Amino acid sequence: TFSFHGPDIFDENCFKQFVQELPWELFRMKGSVRFKDRTAFINFVGGKYEWADWEGDQESRLAFIGWNIEGHNIRLKLQGCILPS
């Protein structure tokens, strides 16, 4: 397990591509994601995901659960979706 937390804004298209390319060993990701015009809540389980509007804190807070995964590599790919400030 590992987590990601920060006030950065994500490129929504890049983040959606990131989710589609998650390794099969990562079987759970859940939390809020801050985009340019909104914050959304994602619930990813076993390769399927759903989105909902998020009215809580306007920052990204994601938790990841998997088996035999490279958390560092997943974090690097995730950080590649952060918009420049």
Side-chain angles (χ1 to χ4, degrees):
T1 64
F2 62 96
S3 63
F4 179 89
H5 171 253
D8 300 306
I9 298 172
F10 284 88
D11 176 277
E12 191 164 351
N13 291 328
C14 181
F15 187 83
K16 286 180 178 180
Q17 185 68 37
F18 162 80
V19 170
Q20 292 176 0
E21 295 174 357
L22 287 170
W24 69 269
E25 297 92 351
L26 187 97
F27 49 83
R28 187 84 160 104
M29 177 180 69
K30 187 175 190 176
S32 59
V33 184
R34 185 176 178 206
F35 298 118
K36 186 176 180 179
D37 59 346
R38 68 189 181 107
T39 301
F41 186 85
I42 184 169
N43 187 19
F44 172 92
V45 180
K48 298 178 182 178
Y49 55 92
E50 56 185 37
W51 298 90
D53 292 334
W54 178 254
E55 299 299 326
D57 291 338
Q58 300 300 301
E59 60 185 8
S60 297
R61 293 178 180 263
L62 295 167
F64 298 83
I65 301 171
W67 178 72
N68 202 22
I69 56 175
E70 295 290 332
H72 177 73
N73 292 338
I74 292 172
R75 276 193 195 102
L76 286 176
K77 290 178 182 178
L78 179 61
Q79 290 173 337
C81 291
I82 294 173
L83 291 173
S85 51

mmCIF file with all atom_site columns, all heavy atoms in Angstrom, residues 21-37:
data_model
loop_
_atom_site.group_PDB
_atom_site.id
_atom_site.type_symbol
_atom_site.label_atom_id
_atom_site.label_alt_id
_atom_site.label_comp_id
_atom_site.label_asym_id
_atom_site.label_entity_id
_atom_site.label_seq_id
_atom_site.pdbx_PDB_ins_code
_atom_site.Cartn_x
_atom_site.Cartn_y
_atom_site.Cartn_z
_atom_site.occupancy
_atom_site.B_iso_or_equiv
_atom_site.pdbx_formal_charge
_atom_site.auth_seq_id
_atom_site.auth_comp_id
_atom_site.auth_asym_id
_atom_site.auth_atom_id
_atom_site.pdbx_PDB_model_num
ATOM 1   N N   . GLU A 1 21 ? -3.964  2.620   -17.566 1.00 0.00 ? 21 GLU A N   1
ATOM 2   C CA  . GLU A 1 21 ? -2.705  1.885   -17.708 1.00 0.00 ? 21 GLU A CA  1
ATOM 3   C C   . GLU A 1 21 ? -2.168  1.322   -16.392 1.00 0.00 ? 21 GLU A C   1
ATOM 4   O O   . GLU A 1 21 ? -1.047  0.812   -16.346 1.00 0.00 ? 21 GLU A O   1
ATOM 5   C CB  . GLU A 1 21 ? -1.656  2.803   -18.343 1.00 0.00 ? 21 GLU A CB  1
ATOM 6   C CG  . GLU A 1 21 ? -2.009  3.202   -19.756 1.00 0.00 ? 21 GLU A CG  1
ATOM 7   C CD  . GLU A 1 21 ? -1.056  4.219   -20.359 1.00 0.00 ? 21 GLU A CD  1
ATOM 8   O OE1 . GLU A 1 21 ? -0.131  4.682   -19.652 1.00 0.00 ? 21 GLU A OE1 1
ATOM 9   O OE2 . GLU A 1 21 ? -1.241  4.563   -21.532 1.00 0.00 ? 21 GLU A OE2 1
ATOM 10  N N   . LEU A 1 22 ? -2.957  1.384   -15.333 1.00 0.00 ? 22 LEU A N   1
ATOM 11  C CA  . LEU A 1 22 ? -2.503  0.829   -14.057 1.00 0.00 ? 22 LEU A CA  1
ATOM 12  C C   . LEU A 1 22 ? -2.266  -0.672  -14.192 1.00 0.00 ? 22 LEU A C   1
ATOM 13  O O   . LEU A 1 22 ? -3.023  -1.366  -14.878 1.00 0.00 ? 22 LEU A O   1
ATOM 14  C CB  . LEU A 1 22 ? -3.537  1.098   -12.960 1.00 0.00 ? 22 LEU A CB  1
ATOM 15  C CG  . LEU A 1 22 ? -3.607  2.542   -12.474 1.00 0.00 ? 22 LEU A CG  1
ATOM 16  C CD1 . LEU A 1 22 ? -4.819  2.743   -11.567 1.00 0.00 ? 22 LEU A CD1 1
ATOM 17  C CD2 . LEU A 1 22 ? -2.329  2.943   -11.750 1.00 0.00 ? 22 LEU A CD2 1
ATOM 18  N N   . PRO A 1 23 ? -1.225  -1.201  -13.552 1.00 0.00 ? 23 PRO A N   1
ATOM 19  C CA  . PRO A 1 23 ? -0.952  -2.639  -13.661 1.00 0.00 ? 23 PRO A CA  1
ATOM 20  C C   . PRO A 1 23 ? -2.033  -3.465  -12.971 1.00 0.00 ? 23 PRO A C   1
ATOM 21  O O   . PRO A 1 23 ? -2.677  -3.007  -12.023 1.00 0.00 ? 23 PRO A O   1
ATOM 22  C CB  . PRO A 1 23 ? 0.400   -2.788  -12.935 1.00 0.00 ? 23 PRO A CB  1
ATOM 23  C CG  . PRO A 1 23 ? 0.489   -1.625  -12.014 1.00 0.00 ? 23 PRO A CG  1
ATOM 24  C CD  . PRO A 1 23 ? -0.270  -0.508  -12.676 1.00 0.00 ? 23 PRO A CD  1
ATOM 25  N N   . TRP A 1 24 ? -2.226  -4.681  -13.445 1.00 0.00 ? 24 TRP A N   1
ATOM 26  C CA  . TRP A 1 24 ? -3.289  -5.531  -12.884 1.00 0.00 ? 24 TRP A CA  1
ATOM 27  C C   . TRP A 1 24 ? -3.039  -5.851  -11.417 1.00 0.00 ? 24 TRP A C   1
ATOM 28  O O   . TRP A 1 24 ? -3.969  -6.144  -10.681 1.00 0.00 ? 24 TRP A O   1
ATOM 29  C CB  . TRP A 1 24 ? -3.470  -6.797  -13.706 1.00 0.00 ? 24 TRP A CB  1
ATOM 30  C CG  . TRP A 1 24 ? -2.316  -7.758  -13.618 1.00 0.00 ? 24 TRP A CG  1
ATOM 31  C CD1 . TRP A 1 24 ? -1.226  -7.811  -14.444 1.00 0.00 ? 24 TRP A CD1 1
ATOM 32  C CD2 . TRP A 1 24 ? -2.141  -8.790  -12.654 1.00 0.00 ? 24 TRP A CD2 1
ATOM 33  N NE1 . TRP A 1 24 ? -0.379  -8.802  -14.035 1.00 0.00 ? 24 TRP A NE1 1
ATOM 34  C CE2 . TRP A 1 24 ? -0.922  -9.423  -12.935 1.00 0.00 ? 24 TRP A CE2 1
ATOM 35  C CE3 . TRP A 1 24 ? -2.888  -9.234  -11.567 1.00 0.00 ? 24 TRP A CE3 1
ATOM 36  C CZ2 . TRP A 1 24 ? -0.421  -10.479 -12.189 1.00 0.00 ? 24 TRP A CZ2 1
ATOM 37  C CZ3 . TRP A 1 24 ? -2.391  -10.284 -10.805 1.00 0.00 ? 24 TRP A CZ3 1
ATOM 38  C CH2 . TRP A 1 24 ? -1.178  -10.899 -11.124 1.00 0.00 ? 24 TRP A CH2 1
ATOM 39  N N   . GLU A 1 25 ? -1.792  -5.770  -10.966 1.00 0.00 ? 25 GLU A N   1
ATOM 40  C CA  . GLU A 1 25 ? -1.462  -6.055  -9.568  1.00 0.00 ? 25 GLU A CA  1
ATOM 41  C C   . GLU A 1 25 ? -1.982  -4.970  -8.622  1.00 0.00 ? 25 GLU A C   1
ATOM 42  O O   . GLU A 1 25 ? -2.075  -5.191  -7.422  1.00 0.00 ? 25 GLU A O   1
ATOM 43  C CB  . GLU A 1 25 ? 0.054   -6.191  -9.365  1.00 0.00 ? 25 GLU A CB  1
ATOM 44  C CG  . GLU A 1 25 ? 0.682   -7.333  -10.106 1.00 0.00 ? 25 GLU A CG  1
ATOM 45  C CD  . GLU A 1 25 ? 1.191   -6.946  -11.482 1.00 0.00 ? 25 GLU A CD  1
ATOM 46  O OE1 . GLU A 1 25 ? 0.907   -5.824  -11.949 1.00 0.00 ? 25 GLU A OE1 1
ATOM 47  O OE2 . GLU A 1 25 ? 1.872   -7.771  -12.106 1.00 0.00 ? 25 GLU A OE2 1
ATOM 48  N N   . LEU A 1 26 ? -2.279  -3.790  -9.175  1.00 0.00 ? 26 LEU A N   1
ATOM 49  C CA  . LEU A 1 26 ? -2.872  -2.724  -8.367  1.00 0.00 ? 26 LEU A CA  1
ATOM 50  C C   . LEU A 1 26 ? -4.385  -2.913  -8.433  1.00 0.00 ? 26 LEU A C   1
ATOM 51  O O   . LEU A 1 26 ? -5.005  -2.617  -9.432  1.00 0.00 ? 26 LEU A O   1
ATOM 52  C CB  . LEU A 1 26 ? -2.495  -1.338  -8.893  1.00 0.00 ? 26 LEU A CB  1
ATOM 53  C CG  . LEU A 1 26 ? -2.983  -0.246  -7.951  1.00 0.00 ? 26 LEU A CG  1
ATOM 54  C CD1 . LEU A 1 26 ? -1.844  0.173   -7.033  1.00 0.00 ? 26 LEU A CD1 1
ATOM 55  C CD2 . LEU A 1 26 ? -3.529  0.917   -8.697  1.00 0.00 ? 26 LEU A CD2 1
ATOM 56  N N   . PHE A 1 27 ? -4.942  -3.457  -7.380  1.00 0.00 ? 27 PHE A N   1
ATOM 57  C CA  . PHE A 1 27 ? -6.360  -3.782  -7.448  1.00 0.00 ? 27 PHE A CA  1
ATOM 58  C C   . PHE A 1 27 ? -7.263  -2.780  -6.751  1.00 0.00 ? 27 PHE A C   1
ATOM 59  O O   . PHE A 1 27 ? -8.482  -2.924  -6.804  1.00 0.00 ? 27 PHE A O   1
ATOM 60  C CB  . PHE A 1 27 ? -6.640  -5.202  -6.932  1.00 0.00 ? 27 PHE A CB  1
ATOM 61  C CG  . PHE A 1 27 ? -6.016  -5.540  -5.618  1.00 0.00 ? 27 PHE A CG  1
ATOM 62  C CD1 . PHE A 1 27 ? -6.631  -5.179  -4.437  1.00 0.00 ? 27 PHE A CD1 1
ATOM 63  C CD2 . PHE A 1 27 ? -4.817  -6.220  -5.567  1.00 0.00 ? 27 PHE A CD2 1
ATOM 64  C CE1 . PHE A 1 27 ? -6.065  -5.502  -3.221  1.00 0.00 ? 27 PHE A CE1 1
ATOM 65  C CE2 . PHE A 1 27 ? -4.240  -6.543  -4.352  1.00 0.00 ? 27 PHE A CE2 1
ATOM 66  C CZ  . PHE A 1 27 ? -4.858  -6.189  -3.178  1.00 0.00 ? 27 PHE A CZ  1
ATOM 67  N N   . ARG A 1 28 ? -6.699  -1.705  -6.151  1.00 0.00 ? 28 ARG A N   1
ATOM 68  C CA  . ARG A 1 28 ? -7.560  -0.720  -5.482  1.00 0.00 ? 28 ARG A CA  1
ATOM 69  C C   . ARG A 1 28 ? -6.891  0.639   -5.467  1.00 0.00 ? 28 ARG A C   1
ATOM 70  O O   . ARG A 1 28 ? -5.717  0.763   -5.140  1.00 0.00 ? 28 ARG A O   1
ATOM 71  C CB  . ARG A 1 28 ? -7.807  -1.176  -4.044  1.00 0.00 ? 28 ARG A CB  1
ATOM 72  C CG  . ARG A 1 28 ? -8.803  -0.360  -3.277  1.00 0.00 ? 28 ARG A CG  1
ATOM 73  C CD  . ARG A 1 28 ? -10.205 -0.860  -3.597  1.00 0.00 ? 28 ARG A CD  1
ATOM 74  N NE  . ARG A 1 28 ? -11.157 -0.456  -2.588  1.00 0.00 ? 28 ARG A NE  1
ATOM 75  C CZ  . ARG A 1 28 ? -12.031 0.522   -2.766  1.00 0.00 ? 28 ARG A CZ  1
ATOM 76  N NH1 . ARG A 1 28 ? -12.083 1.167   -3.894  1.00 0.00 ? 28 ARG A NH1 1
ATOM 77  N NH2 . ARG A 1 28 ? -12.876 0.831   -1.817  1.00 0.00 ? 28 ARG A NH2 1
ATOM 78  N N   . MET A 1 29 ? -7.633  1.672   -5.870  1.00 0.00 ? 29 MET A N   1
ATOM 79  C CA  . MET A 1 29 ? -7.214  3.062   -5.746  1.00 0.00 ? 29 MET A CA  1
ATOM 80  C C   . MET A 1 29 ? -8.469  3.851   -5.420  1.00 0.00 ? 29 MET A C   1
ATOM 81  O O   . MET A 1 29 ? -9.518  3.649   -6.047  1.00 0.00 ? 29 MET A O   1
ATOM 82  C CB  . MET A 1 29 ? -6.590  3.588   -7.038  1.00 0.00 ? 29 MET A CB  1
ATOM 83  C CG  . MET A 1 29 ? -6.203  5.059   -6.948  1.00 0.00 ? 29 MET A CG  1
ATOM 84  S SD  . MET A 1 29 ? -5.468  5.726   -8.459  1.00 0.00 ? 29 MET A SD  1
ATOM 85  C CE  . MET A 1 29 ? -6.876  5.718   -9.553  1.00 0.00 ? 29 MET A CE  1
ATOM 86  N N   . LYS A 1 30 ? -8.354  4.730   -4.453  1.00 0.00 ? 30 LYS A N   1
ATOM 87  C CA  . LYS A 1 30 ? -9.538  5.463   -4.027  1.00 0.00 ? 30 LYS A CA  1
ATOM 88  C C   . LYS A 1 30 ? -9.111  6.819   -3.491  1.00 0.00 ? 30 LYS A C   1
ATOM 89  O O   . LYS A 1 30 ? -8.095  6.941   -2.834  1.00 0.00 ? 30 LYS A O   1
ATOM 90  C CB  . LYS A 1 30 ? -10.248 4.667   -2.931  1.00 0.00 ? 30 LYS A CB  1
ATOM 91  C CG  . LYS A 1 30 ? -11.568 5.204   -2.496  1.00 0.00 ? 30 LYS A CG  1
ATOM 92  C CD  . LYS A 1 30 ? -12.198 4.231   -1.507  1.00 0.00 ? 30 LYS A CD  1
ATOM 93  C CE  . LYS A 1 30 ? -13.626 4.623   -1.236  1.00 0.00 ? 30 LYS A CE  1
ATOM 94  N NZ  . LYS A 1 30 ? -14.292 3.640   -0.363  1.00 0.00 ? 30 LYS A NZ  1
ATOM 95  N N   . GLY A 1 31 ? -9.919  7.846   -3.799  1.00 0.00 ? 31 GLY A N   1
ATOM 96  C CA  . GLY A 1 31 ? -9.654  9.156   -3.225  1.00 0.00 ? 31 GLY A CA  1
ATOM 97  C C   . GLY A 1 31 ? -10.069 10.298  -4.131  1.00 0.00 ? 31 GLY A C   1
ATOM 98  O O   . GLY A 1 31 ? -10.670 10.105  -5.172  1.00 0.00 ? 31 GLY A O   1
ATOM 99  N N   . SER A 1 32 ? -9.705  11.495  -3.694  1.00 0.00 ? 32 SER A N   1
ATOM 100 C CA  . SER A 1 32 ? -10.060 12.705  -4.439  1.00 0.00 ? 32 SER A CA  1
ATOM 101 C C   . SER A 1 32 ? -8.908  13.113  -5.349  1.00 0.00 ? 32 SER A C   1
ATOM 102 O O   . SER A 1 32 ? -7.742  12.911  -5.035  1.00 0.00 ? 32 SER A O   1
ATOM 103 C CB  . SER A 1 32 ? -10.395 13.841  -3.464  1.00 0.00 ? 32 SER A CB  1
ATOM 104 O OG  . SER A 1 32 ? -9.301  14.114  -2.621  1.00 0.00 ? 32 SER A OG  1
ATOM 105 N N   . VAL A 1 33 ? -9.273  13.696  -6.496  1.00 0.00 ? 33 VAL A N   1
ATOM 106 C CA  . VAL A 1 33 ? -8.302  14.160  -7.483  1.00 0.00 ? 33 VAL A CA  1
ATOM 107 C C   . VAL A 1 33 ? -8.683  15.571  -7.906  1.00 0.00 ? 33 VAL A C   1
ATOM 108 O O   . VAL A 1 33 ? -9.816  15.815  -8.339  1.00 0.00 ? 33 VAL A O   1
ATOM 109 C CB  . VAL A 1 33 ? -8.274  13.252  -8.739  1.00 0.00 ? 33 VAL A CB  1
ATOM 110 C CG1 . VAL A 1 33 ? -7.183  13.698  -9.695  1.00 0.00 ? 33 VAL A CG1 1
ATOM 111 C CG2 . VAL A 1 33 ? -8.109  11.800  -8.360  1.00 0.00 ? 33 VAL A CG2 1
ATOM 112 N N   . ARG A 1 34 ? -7.741  16.482  -7.808  1.00 0.00 ? 34 ARG A N   1
ATOM 113 C CA  . ARG A 1 34 ? -7.991  17.886  -8.156  1.00 0.00 ? 34 ARG A CA  1
ATOM 114 C C   . ARG A 1 34 ? -7.626  18.136  -9.617  1.00 0.00 ? 34 ARG A C   1
ATOM 115 O O   . ARG A 1 34 ? -6.492  17.914  -10.036 1.00 0.00 ? 34 ARG A O   1
ATOM 116 C CB  . ARG A 1 34 ? -7.161  18.792  -7.251  1.00 0.00 ? 34 ARG A CB  1
ATOM 117 C CG  . ARG A 1 34 ? -7.446  20.244  -7.466  1.00 0.00 ? 34 ARG A CG  1
ATOM 118 C CD  . ARG A 1 34 ? -6.674  21.087  -6.479  1.00 0.00 ? 34 ARG A CD  1
ATOM 119 N NE  . ARG A 1 34 ? -6.934  22.485  -6.756  1.00 0.00 ? 34 ARG A NE  1
ATOM 120 C CZ  . ARG A 1 34 ? -6.103  23.451  -6.449  1.00 0.00 ? 34 ARG A CZ  1
ATOM 121 N NH1 . ARG A 1 34 ? -4.972  23.194  -5.828  1.00 0.00 ? 34 ARG A NH1 1
ATOM 122 N NH2 . ARG A 1 34 ? -6.398  24.690  -6.742  1.00 0.00 ? 34 ARG A NH2 1
ATOM 123 N N   . PHE A 1 35 ? -8.624  18.590  -10.385 1.00 0.00 ? 35 PHE A N   1
ATOM 124 C CA  . PHE A 1 35 ? -8.422  18.983  -11.771 1.00 0.00 ? 35 PHE A CA  1
ATOM 125 C C   . PHE A 1 35 ? -8.562  20.502  -11.867 1.00 0.00 ? 35 PHE A C   1
ATOM 126 O O   . PHE A 1 35 ? -8.894  21.161  -10.885 1.00 0.00 ? 35 PHE A O   1
ATOM 127 C CB  . PHE A 1 35 ? -9.445  18.293  -12.684 1.00 0.00 ? 35 PHE A CB  1
ATOM 128 C CG  . PHE A 1 35 ? -9.338  16.792  -12.668 1.00 0.00 ? 35 PHE A CG  1
ATOM 129 C CD1 . PHE A 1 35 ? -10.403 16.022  -12.226 1.00 0.00 ? 35 PHE A CD1 1
ATOM 130 C CD2 . PHE A 1 35 ? -8.189  16.156  -13.090 1.00 0.00 ? 35 PHE A CD2 1
ATOM 131 C CE1 . PHE A 1 35 ? -10.329 14.633  -12.215 1.00 0.00 ? 35 PHE A CE1 1
ATOM 132 C CE2 . PHE A 1 35 ? -8.095  14.770  -13.081 1.00 0.00 ? 35 PHE A CE2 1
ATOM 133 C CZ  . PHE A 1 35 ? -9.165  14.018  -12.638 1.00 0.00 ? 35 PHE A CZ  1
ATOM 134 N N   . LYS A 1 36 ? -8.343  21.048  -13.058 1.00 0.00 ? 36 LYS A N   1
ATOM 135 C CA  . LYS A 1 36 ? -8.365  22.497  -13.253 1.00 0.00 ? 36 LYS A CA  1
ATOM 136 C C   . LYS A 1 36 ? -9.694  23.125  -12.856 1.00 0.00 ? 36 LYS A C   1
ATOM 137 O O   . LYS A 1 36 ? -9.733  24.161  -12.203 1.00 0.00 ? 36 LYS A O   1
ATOM 138 C CB  . LYS A 1 36 ? -8.042  22.820  -14.710 1.00 0.00 ? 36 LYS A CB  1
ATOM 139 C CG  . LYS A 1 36 ? -7.886  24.279  -14.998 1.00 0.00 ? 36 LYS A CG  1
ATOM 140 C CD  . LYS A 1 36 ? -7.461  24.512  -16.432 1.00 0.00 ? 36 LYS A CD  1
ATOM 141 C CE  . LYS A 1 36 ? -7.306  25.993  -16.708 1.00 0.00 ? 36 LYS A CE  1
ATOM 142 N NZ  . LYS A 1 36 ? -6.872  26.230  -18.084 1.00 0.00 ? 36 LYS A NZ  1
ATOM 143 N N   . ASP A 1 37 ? -10.800 22.484  -13.239 1.00 0.00 ? 37 ASP A N   1
ATOM 144 C CA  . ASP A 1 37 ? -12.116 23.089  -13.017 1.00 0.00 ? 37 ASP A CA  1
ATOM 145 C C   . ASP A 1 37 ? -12.985 22.367  -11.996 1.00 0.00 ? 37 ASP A C   1
ATOM 146 O O   . ASP A 1 37 ? -14.130 22.741  -11.788 1.00 0.00 ? 37 ASP A O   1
ATOM 147 C CB  . ASP A 1 37 ? -12.870 23.185  -14.341 1.00 0.00 ? 37 ASP A CB  1
ATOM 148 C CG  . ASP A 1 37 ? -13.064 21.831  -14.992 1.00 0.00 ? 37 ASP A CG  1
ATOM 149 O OD1 . ASP A 1 37 ? -12.404 20.852  -14.581 1.00 0.00 ? 37 ASP A OD1 1
ATOM 150 O OD2 . ASP A 1 37 ? -13.892 21.735  -15.917 1.00 0.00 ? 37 ASP A OD2 1
#
